[in-house]
Structure formats: C-alpha cells, structure tokens
Amino acid sequence: MDVTTFHNEWWKEKIVYQIYPRSFCDSDNDGIGDIAGIISRLPYLKDLGVGVIWLSPVYASPDADNGYDISDYYDINPKLGSMDDMTKLIEQAKKLDIGIMMDLVINHTSDEHEWFTKSRNKIDDYRNYYIWRKGRGKGKAPNNWTSFFMDEVWEYDHASDEYYLHLFHKKQPDLNYENEKVIAEVEKIMRFWLDKGIVGFRCDVINVLVKETFEDGKGFPIKGLEHYKSKEQNHQILRDLRQNVLSHYDCFTVGEAVMVNLEEARLLSEPDRKELDILFYFDHLEVDRYVSRYIPKRFNALKLLKVLTKWQQGLSWNAVYFENHDQPRIVSHYGQDKEYWERSAKLIATMQLTLRGTQFIYQGQEIGMTNFDFSSIDELRDIESFNIDRLMKKLFIPKPLRWKWIKLSSRDNARTPMQWDDSEYGGFSTIKPWIGVNANHKQINQASQVDDPESLLSYYRQLIQLRKDSDTLKYGEFVSVYANSHLMVFARVLESEIYLTLLNFSSKQRKIPLPLSGEVVISNLLRDEYCSTLEAYEAIVIKNDLNAEVEYDYI
Ligand code: ISL
C-alpha cells in the first residue's frame, strides 16, 4: 500500500476530542459548562495531542434534548455563551492548530424554531417545512411507527386537526426533505459556519432524513424504520450537500448513522460515493447487548474482534470511537471499573488507539471516568432514560431490574461533569451543577493524573504520540489474529512492519496460544519483554519485522 496516497486527507491523522459543552467546564459558575470554559482548557487539549474538537450542539435551544433541539442555527445558547465566545473559540483553537467541528442536527429542529411556529400557524410556505399528516379516524395517529426514544412519533395539533412527525422527542419535529427550500436552508447554515472557520460537521442521525412512504411499519424495537432508513434520495441529498457546499471548503464530515449495516455504511461513506467522509456506527458497542442497547448479555472478546474486523476491513476508513454522549462509559462497559479500573482503562485505550481510522476520544475518557453513581431515577436528566423506564414498566419489568438496566446504559452516564480535581464539584464549577458529579471525582480526576507519568492520562498521551510517529499504526492494514472469549489479538501491517496488539479482557491470567514475539512498544504493566502469559486486563503492543520468522493465524 502506498501511504502517500492518504496524506492529502489531513483529518485521517487527527485525534478528535468530543466535548459535551454543558458538562465540560463552567467558567461563570452557574452550574452549566460553557464556551469560555472550553477556551480555558485548550492548552490541556493541545498537550493531550488533540487536533480537532467536535462540539455537541451549542446553538440556541430550549434544551429538551440538551441542544439536539435547535431553535436558531445562527445563534448560541445563552447558557453556553455568545457568538463572540464562539468566534473566539474558533480563533484561539486555530492558533493551537486545533480545528472546531460543529454538530449538524438537520433531521429535526426544535418545535420552538421560528420555522416550526410558522409551520404550525400555516404562515407563508412554512407548513411544508415539516411533515404533517391527517390521522386515521378519531384519535388515531397516521401510522404505527415508534420513535427512537421508545415513544409516539406523531403529535396531534388541535388547530389544524393534523399530526406532525417526530422520530425523536415531540419537541423535535422532523424537517421535510421533499421540500427543496429545507435543503436550501441547510446549505445556508453549513456555509455560515464553514465561513466562520470551522473544519467540519458531525452530522446527527444523517441516514433517516428522507421518509419515503408512511405505511405502517413492521420492525422491532423501532417500528417504521424500513420506510425511512438509508433511502436513495437521502444519498442524493448528501451528494448534493457535498458538491454544493462542502467541496468548496477544506473540511470533513462524520455522519452518525443509526441502525446502519455495513452495506449501507459503504454507500454512505466510501470515497467514490462522494457523500460523507466517515461514519459512526454502533455494532462494536453492542456485542454485549440484546435487541435494545438496554438489555445486557455477557461480553465476549471473540465477538468484539469479529465485529471490529468486519468494520475495519469493510470500510476504506473508519471513525474509531468507544464513547460519546449517548453511551455508557467504556471502562464501566468493556472494562472493569473496580480493582482493575486503571489497568482496564489502559487496555481499552490500547485497543482503540491501535485501530485503523480517525480517532475520537470523548471528554473524560482520557482520565477513565466511569458510569455515574446515582441511586435513583430522580437524579437523571435524560428524556430517553425516562421513556425507557416507562416502556419497561408497561412490559411489567420490575423496578429494581429497570433501574439496573438504566444504570448500565443511560446516556447520563456520559453526561456527568468532567472531573478536573477533587474539590466539591470536581473543579467543574463552584456551585451545584445541572447534573450530579460522580463521587469518585475524589480519586478519578485530571489534576491527579496530569503530572503523573504512569497515569491513564499520560498513557493516552503516549499512545497518541506513538500513533503520530508510526505510519503502520496510522495507515497499516488491519488483520485479525486470534481471539477467544477473553483474549484478543490483532495486527496492523504496513509493508514488512507488523504491530500486534494483545489484550486480556478478564480478571484472570491467560495464555496466548501462539508463538508470537517482538519488541515491546507499549504495555499497561510497564513490561520490557513480551511473554505469552497475560495478567488480568493486561494490554501489550509488540512490533516485528515480517521478514523475520513470525507466525500468525487468522481467526
Ligand atoms: O442514544 C441512542 C441509543 O439509545 C440513540 O437512539 C440515539 O438517540 C441515536 O443514536 C441518535 O442520537 C443523536 O440524535 C438524537 C440525540 O438525542 C442524540 O444525543 C444524538 O447523538 C436526536 O437528535
């Protein structure tokens, strides 16, 4: 493989750091994180090795879904700052060679967006900006679809005796992509932000824009998906946005594609399609979940490797991530957040940063933040968790089990404030934040790790540096080598160089049954030499020359 062919795409080598603004750093001490807080932490991010910051939405919003319900795409949520702050953030970050990527939420707006108010009141052409339908008889919605938040998708409007569609919350009405004017508005929004100097967009639920028909749906748990997921016109819209807008800027896009399979993902993101650059898919985070991501089953490293292999080899380039604002913390999910907290967090870091693709790290992941420690649902804030609880109640699932599952998977696990130090509110704010701070901030915090060469944070910095220095880790092909239910071995190969990542996902010592050898590149146990027995949650990367005698199997 010719490495130089990849180098024109600068974003392939970047470490992207996702910030959930309201939970990152509160500069004015009102309990909600803000843009000025982000600016104050730029040097920290630079030091970590970050090249791009993806900001979860900071636009004006009534916050029914923490900003994923936008009421003005050209303004900033006053709780988070002002447009001047945003301009300053883009400029200051640029000085540090850090690009800002915005969240582009265009499947829906807030019901408080001016377009929707006009649509509801049938003013000018705005009715057609959203999706309105007559019901099927008295009190009966237009069809049987169910929402991504496990709820209704149709909201009745008395004045017009019609329903509007919302695939998410009722305060998030879906835009109508049959309407050219909607697409023109989206193009205008994109140009506005790109002209302000941002380097790209993370595109929210980008594969469900076009609703092709409104017949009843069959699927489970989300009924109706087959009528709007990955439709041809959706692809056409993405190609047009690319051609008309994105191609005129030096930028990149990462699309969040819900319920996506590999074939659909290829259509959305392979370079020759000229749609999106890379894609967030979910398979690799659900190997220990049934149907819904709320129902757990046993973790299996072989299964995880199979899923990783499928996606690593199936796409030309991946978006590699293990956490975001919708997922539980990875150390509490695939790691072990008790006695092996640090070691298993390092294991996951080793896995992630030796995979092929653009790397995404979520705030707090680099210091090993864990799932929350709340004791009741009243302490949660996420609408999805409340809906799931209601749905499970309807299915007669007993309260203790509901709480157990919500604790495992609630999106609020990732939304507790960033743990900067061991002070009362974790150095996030001086007053009680909008959502509780995890009590473990006394032990797990940035200040205690930043100058400790053996901390998880330092380990992230080392891995990031290692990647920057190695074409094989950046561009080498991914090869699956060996796995069983606890162990995983994969390789990255470029010309004659091979890096092998060996991981033990269990709390027992385990032997790798392969005759492998090589120079130790990094190890979470500070080993100098590789030996085939891995301790609990041990991770090690070894390097070798394929011209030397190395044997490896494929699973
Ligand atoms: O989080 C999920 C799984 O429980 C998904 O259903 C999630 O809602 C889906 O991945 C879409 O997420 C994105 O769009 C939502 C918003 O609530 C999420 O925060 C966002 O990442 C609606 O805009």
Side-chain angles (χ1 to χ4, degrees), residues 70-72 110-119 126 130:
I70 298 169
S71 53
D72 187 348
S110 161
D111 65 338
E112 295 180 35
H113 194 291
E114 192 193 350
W115 302 336
F116 190 74
T117 314
K118 288 184 170 165
S119 184
Y126 286 94
Y130 295 85

Side-chain angles (χ1 to χ4, degrees), residues 65 68 108 149 202 204-205 256 293 325-326 384 411:
D65 188 17
Y68 283 88
H108 44 267
F149 290 155
R202 175 266 187 187
D204 193 60
V205 295
E256 183 207 32
R293 68 177 194 87
H325 63 293
D326 292 334
E384 184 185 80
R411 306 195 300 178

Side-chain angles (χ1 to χ4, degrees), residues 315-539:
L315 294 178
S316 322
W317 197 254
N318 277 252
V320 181
Y321 79 102
F322 283 89
E323 281 191 23
N324 66 29
H325 63 293
D326 292 334
Q327 297 292 331
R329 292 289 184 174
I330 195 66
V331 66
S332 305
H333 185 186
Y334 290 166
Q336 200 264 32
D337 61 10
K338 305 282 180 305
E339 67 268 42
Y340 292 112
W341 162 74
E342 186 179 272
R343 214 191 274 181
S344 70
K346 285 180 176 171
L347 166 123
I348 286 156
T350 316
M351 166 172 67
Q352 168 162 355
L353 285 144
T354 55
L355 287 171
R356 184 170 192 269
T358 302
Q359 295 284 328
F360 289 78
I361 295 174
Y362 180 67
Q363 66 182 43
Q365 180 184 340
E366 78 281 17
I367 55 164
M369 281 179 62
T370 66
N371 277 358
F372 65 64
D373 56 349
F374 302 154
S375 51
S376 106
I377 194 153
D378 306 332
E379 293 171 74
L380 298 189
R381 300 287 175 267
D382 180 24
I383 40 176
E384 184 185 80
S385 298
F386 300 134
N387 284 350
I388 292 282
D389 187 55
R390 214 174 308 128
L391 176 74
M392 293 198 287
K393 200 169 169 184
K394 268 195 213 155
L395 298 171
F396 300 104
I397 296 173
K399 198 170 172 186
L401 189 57
R402 295 200 314 261
W403 180 236
K404 190 175 164 198
W405 286 351
I406 286 175
K407 270 187 87 107
L408 265 183
S409 298
S410 169
R411 306 195 300 178
D412 279 342
N413 280 310
R415 299 177 181 186
T416 60
M418 175 76 182
Q419 296 167 199
W420 293 103
D421 60 36
D422 63 0
S423 63
E424 190 177 4
Y425 300 115
F428 165 77
S429 182
T430 53
I431 70 154
K432 197 171 184 320
W434 69 278
I435 187 169
V437 181
N438 196 317
N440 68 16
H441 72 274
K442 295 274 172 212
Q443 301 79 44
I444 301 176
N445 61 66
Q446 186 260 2
S448 66
Q449 296 188 30
V450 72
D451 295 321
D452 172 0
E454 289 179 17
S455 68
L456 173 63
L457 178 55
S458 297
Y459 192 77
Y460 264 95
R461 276 191 295 236
Q462 279 168 47
L463 277 164
I464 290 170
Q465 192 55 47
L466 204 65
R467 227 186 133 77
K468 286 198 170 140
D469 295 341
S470 160
D471 275 343
T472 305
L473 285 180
K474 283 189 299 242
Y475 295 111
E477 263 168 58
F478 174 92
V479 181
S480 155
V481 178
Y482 171 82
N484 62 28
S485 43
H486 307 287
L487 293 173
M488 179 191 289
V489 184
F490 62 81
R492 302 291 309 285
V493 182
L494 188 71
E495 289 158 8
S496 72
E497 189 170 67
I498 178 166
Y499 278 70
L500 285 150
T501 300
L502 301 100
L503 309 164
N504 177 3
F505 282 86
S506 77
S507 49
K508 286 206 184 100
Q509 192 188 64
R510 312 236 171 218
K511 198 167 163 52
I512 306 261
L514 301 175
L516 301 173
S517 64
E519 167 200 338
V520 177
V521 175
I522 195 162
S523 145
N524 66 352
L525 292 185
L526 302 175
R527 276 192 201 275
D528 299 325
E529 272 183 34
Y530 168 71
C531 87
S532 59
T533 303
L534 297 190
E535 297 302 323
Y537 290 102
E538 178 170 355

Side-chain angles (χ1 to χ4, degrees), residues 18 20 54 56-57 65-69 103 105-108 147-150 167-169 172 202-205 222 256-259 282 286 292-294 324-327 382-384 388 409 411 415:
Q18 184 193 351
Y20 199 63
W54 151 28
S56 275
D65 188 17
N66 289 349
Y68 283 88
D69 48 321
D103 215 310
V105 187
I106 54 168
N107 174 67
H108 44 267
S147 89
F148 281 88
F149 290 155
M150 307 293 153
L167 292 184
F168 293 85
H169 193 255
Q172 294 167 302
R202 175 266 187 187
C203 309
D204 193 60
V205 295
I222 297 171
E256 183 207 32
V258 285
M259 308 277 171
F282 297 86
E286 292 173 359
S292 148
R293 68 177 194 87
Y294 281 84
N324 66 29
H325 63 293
D326 292 334
Q327 297 292 331
D382 180 24
I383 40 176
E384 184 185 80
I388 292 282
S409 298
R411 306 195 300 178
R415 299 177 181 186

Side-chain angles (χ1 to χ4, degrees), residues 188-223:
K188 200 170 133 201
I189 294 163
M190 291 169 78
R191 283 194 197 99
F192 173 85
W193 285 102
L194 289 163
D195 287 338
K196 275 192 81 68
I198 65 156
V199 301
F201 293 107
R202 175 266 187 187
C203 309
D204 193 60
V205 295
I206 202 64
N207 58 336
V208 299
L209 301 182
V210 175
K211 287 76 185 174
E212 213 167 61
T213 67
F214 290 87
E215 289 155 31
D216 274 352
K218 292 193 197 74
F220 181 80
I222 297 171
K223 253 194 198 92

